[in-house]
Amino acid sequence: MARYEQIAGDLRDAIVRGEYAIGAQLPSEAELADRYGAARGTIRQAVAVLVNEGLVGSRQGARRIVLGSERSQSFAELHSFAQWARSMGYRASGAVVRSDRRPCTQSEAARLSLTPGEEVLTVLRLRRLDGEPVLLERTVYAGWIAPAVERLDPSCESVTQELYDAVGLVFAYGEHLIDAVAAGSEDARLLGVRRGSPLLRQRRTTTSQEGRPVECSDDRYRAGSVAFSIRNSTSTNPLVRRTGD
Amino acid sequence: MARYEQIAGDLRDAIVRGEYAIGAQLPSEAELADRYGAARGTIRQAVAVLVNEGLVGSRQGARRIVLGSERSQSFAELHSFAQWARSMGYRASGAVVRSDRRPCTQSEAARLSLTPGEEVLTVLRLRRLDGEPVLLERTVYAGWIAPAVERLDPSCESVTQELYDAVGLVFAYGEHLIDAVAAGSEDARLLGVRRGSPLLRQRRTTTSQEGRPVECSDDRYRAGSVAFSIRNSTSTNPLVRRTGD
DNA sequence: GAGTGGTCTAGACCACGAG
DNA sequence: TCGTGGTCTAGACCACTCA
């Protein structure tokens, strides 16, 4: 592990332990450099990690301050519902409801960098948390990955994990659009809610390490089962409002 | 403007103009350093901006690649509905429906770093986009900022802007919890939707530059009016799933 | 093995904040 | 005014990817 990661971890632990209260000042860069025997650049890199996590606030001229003390999830595995569930202590399961090959639409072609009409694989998957249905995924896979997806166990726990094991595919980058929709009749039936009741929708496009679009998906969570959490600051802001589209 | 910001802007423009296609490689750091006459560190800082925006992907050992080409919003003003609306070409308006002082609850005390029972100001505000009601804000302000909030014009366009002008307060940091809920009867009446219809809810806590909690709010968007957009990668991941709470 | 990005150092100057 | 974080440089070594 890199030196700056160790230092970041050390500082994070101190914050989580409550050694620095919320609103309290962190030591200056010079002092930290001294304490850890590292160059100022390394210290800055370490503190930048905490700033990105939203635990620490930073402004030119003033000492850095502690903003929060809650340890967030390990971020590395957002795309895997199963891995997230496990880390939260839930038992995740899933089942393929339907699976079809068909030519892609215009908009799918654009989102997956395909030529219109090229074949894609669509999969409807129901995901459960401790047996409770919470998520309905309507996923469109690019044709080139379709065979590997079709070979998967329909009730496998983690598609992400299985695809990595099978063909070394890593879901590296994602774009997400989050809004609320009313449950359609199929949604309602499978998720066990009333038609028209609120669902949290996450439309995403996932890309491989090489920048190749792999899948796009319309995921619908039962209301009350899951929320998305984001931390930000005026300077670094991952969250963008968009008009519904 | 800093040198690295200029370079980042230059590269971003080139990507947006399509000079680098999606999936294409960016020039190496050495080449960019040469081209811009800057040190490698400065180039790295510039490229890091694009990586954070999700436009560019980066892995050790391989050339950086272009992931997307859509210009995201200027991020600096997330907390201001009005400023976001203006930048999107909409006309924002707002009106205070109700405003009350009362002792804070236990959970509000925790979220705003107050002592239980301390007085807070609660404001119910309806926000419109081009005249259409789209957002209902139920905001709880810490007592120390309440007087400034009460002096505001009830129909002022941007609370953020007005508070900055009036008392120099900057909303610097935020924590957000996003989920979907059914419209209650008050929600339905004010937003002009049916009771029980889906709303996108954003619960947030906002903090001043000094790390002092200012307000927490329950914001509900009419479905279809707005979506939240997020870009991420396996290494830098601002988005965290949480169980509904 | 060559090229590339990731880490780290040591030092400089500047812009901003707080007292 | 002085301490602090923000920017920038120049050079070094390492880990990784890819042909």
Side-chain angles (χ1 to χ4, degrees):
Chain A
M1 193 196 276
R3 187 94 178 85
Y4 79 91
E5 286 179 296
Q6 294 171 15
I7 297 173
D10 198 51
L11 290 172
R12 192 192 295 112
D13 286 347
I15 292 172
V16 170
R17 270 200 314 272
E19 249 167 79
Y20 300 100
I22 292 185
Q25 294 185 336
L26 239 47
S28 72
E29 292 179 357
E31 191 182 329
L32 289 172
D34 209 46
R35 181 188 304 177
Y36 289 104
R40 190 178 159 220
T42 307
I43 297 297
R44 285 182 62 79
Q45 219 175 340
V47 177
V49 172
L50 305 182
V51 171
N52 266 328
E53 288 175 3
L55 288 180
V56 167
S58 196
R59 316 143 59 197
Q60 187 173 62
R63 276 280 182 90
R64 293 194 176 86
I65 51 174
V66 175
L67 294 175
S69 59
E70 284 167 34
R71 184 83 158 85
S72 290
Q73 280 311 108
S74 77
F75 297 158
E77 302 152 332
L78 165 75
H79 299 115
S80 172
F81 179 77
Q83 285 166 7
W84 164 77
R86 201 177 313 141
S87 77
M88 296 291 286
Y90 292 105
R91 195 168 42 78
S93 56
V96 170
V97 177
R98 196 172 51 231
S99 172
D100 276 310
R101 282 178 183 250
R102 61 162 173 74
C104 71
T105 67
Q106 194 86 31
S107 76
E108 286 162 0
R111 291 211 284 169
L112 294 175
S113 297
L114 303 174
T115 54
E118 211 175 325
E119 200 175 57
V120 292
L121 175 67
T122 69
V123 177
L124 177 63
R125 232 185 242 107
L126 180 65
R127 305 280 213 138
R128 295 162 186 275
L129 228 44
D130 286 347
E132 283 292 304
V134 299
L135 167 59
L136 199 56
E137 291 178 340
R138 291 187 178 85
T139 310
V140 179
Y141 294 94
W144 59 271
I145 192 66
V149 175
E150 287 175 322
R151 277 196 302 272
L152 295 178
D153 174 5
S155 67
C156 84
E157 200 185 327
S158 174
V159 176
T160 307
Q161 185 65 49
E162 294 295 320
L163 282 181
Y164 175 71
D165 293 344
V167 294
L169 181 69
V170 176
F171 293 99
Y173 309 106
E175 200 192 342
H176 309 260
L177 218 51
I178 295 171
D179 62 0
V181 295
S185 49
E186 188 178 53
D187 300 334
R189 193 179 70 246
L190 291 168
L191 288 172
V193 299
R194 266 207 297 278
R195 202 170 147 276
S197 71
L199 299 178
L200 184 63
R201 176 169 68 167
Q202 172 187 25
R203 282 170 293 177
R204 61 164 207 271
T205 303
T206 314
T207 301
S208 74
Q209 279 184 321
E210 298 79 23
R212 200 170 180 194
V214 180
E215 49 153 32
C216 56
S217 189
D218 177 309
D219 296 354
R220 300 179 181 203
Y221 292 87
R222 220 181 53 192
S225 65
V226 160
F228 292 109
S229 166
I230 290 158
R231 279 217 170 98
N232 63 23
S233 65
T234 43
S235 48
T236 75
N237 202 326
L239 186 61
V240 180
R241 246 175 299 222
R242 296 182 39 159
T243 46
D245 46 12
Chain B
M1 195 197 277
R3 187 94 178 88
Y4 79 91
E5 286 177 297
Q6 294 172 14
I7 297 172
D10 199 51
L11 290 172
R12 191 191 296 111
D13 287 347
I15 291 172
V16 171
R17 271 201 311 272
E19 250 168 78
Y20 300 100
I22 293 185
Q25 295 186 335
L26 238 48
S28 72
E29 292 180 357
E31 190 181 328
L32 289 173
D34 209 47
R35 181 187 306 177
Y36 289 105
R40 191 180 159 217
T42 307
I43 297 298
R44 285 182 62 79
Q45 219 174 340
V47 177
V49 171
L50 305 181
V51 171
N52 265 327
E53 290 176 1
L55 289 180
V56 167
S58 197
R59 315 144 57 199
Q60 186 174 61
R63 275 281 183 90
R64 293 196 176 86
I65 51 174
V66 175
L67 293 175
S69 58
E70 284 166 35
R71 184 84 158 86
S72 291
Q73 278 312 107
S74 76
F75 296 157
E77 302 152 333
L78 166 75
H79 300 114
S80 173
F81 179 76
Q83 286 165 8
W84 164 77
R86 202 178 311 142
S87 77
M88 295 292 287
Y90 292 105
R91 195 167 42 78
S93 56
V96 170
V97 177
R98 195 171 53 229
S99 173
D100 275 309
R101 281 178 183 251
R102 60 162 173 77
C104 71
T105 67
Q106 194 88 31
S107 76
E108 286 162 1
R111 290 211 284 169
L112 295 175
S113 297
L114 303 174
T115 55
E118 211 175 325
E119 200 176 56
V120 293
L121 175 67
T122 69
V123 177
L124 177 62
R125 233 184 242 107
L126 181 65
R127 305 281 214 137
R128 295 161 187 275
L129 228 44
D130 286 346
E132 283 290 306
V134 300
L135 167 60
L136 198 56
E137 290 179 341
R138 290 188 179 84
T139 311
V140 179
Y141 293 94
W144 58 271
I145 191 67
V149 174
E150 287 175 322
R151 278 196 301 272
L152 295 179
D153 174 5
S155 67
C156 84
E157 200 186 327
S158 174
V159 176
T160 308
Q161 184 65 48
E162 295 294 321
L163 281 181
Y164 176 70
D165 294 343
V167 295
L169 181 69
V170 176
F171 293 100
Y173 310 106
E175 199 192 340
H176 309 260
L177 217 51
I178 295 171
D179 61 1
V181 295
S185 48
E186 187 177 54
D187 300 334
R189 193 178 72 245
L190 291 167
L191 288 172
V193 298
R194 266 206 297 278
R195 201 168 150 278
S197 71
L199 299 177
L200 183 64
R201 176 169 69 166
Q202 173 187 25
R203 282 171 293 177
R204 61 164 207 271
T205 303
T206 314
T207 301
S208 74
Q209 279 184 322
E210 298 79 23
R212 201 171 180 192
V214 179
E215 48 152 35
C216 56
S217 189
D218 178 309
D219 297 353
R220 299 178 182 204
Y221 292 87
R222 219 181 52 192
S225 65
V226 159
F228 292 107
S229 166
I230 290 158
R231 280 216 170 99
N232 62 24
S233 64
T234 43
S235 48
T236 75
N237 202 326
L239 185 63
V240 180
R241 247 176 296 221
R242 295 181 40 158
T243 47
D245 46 12

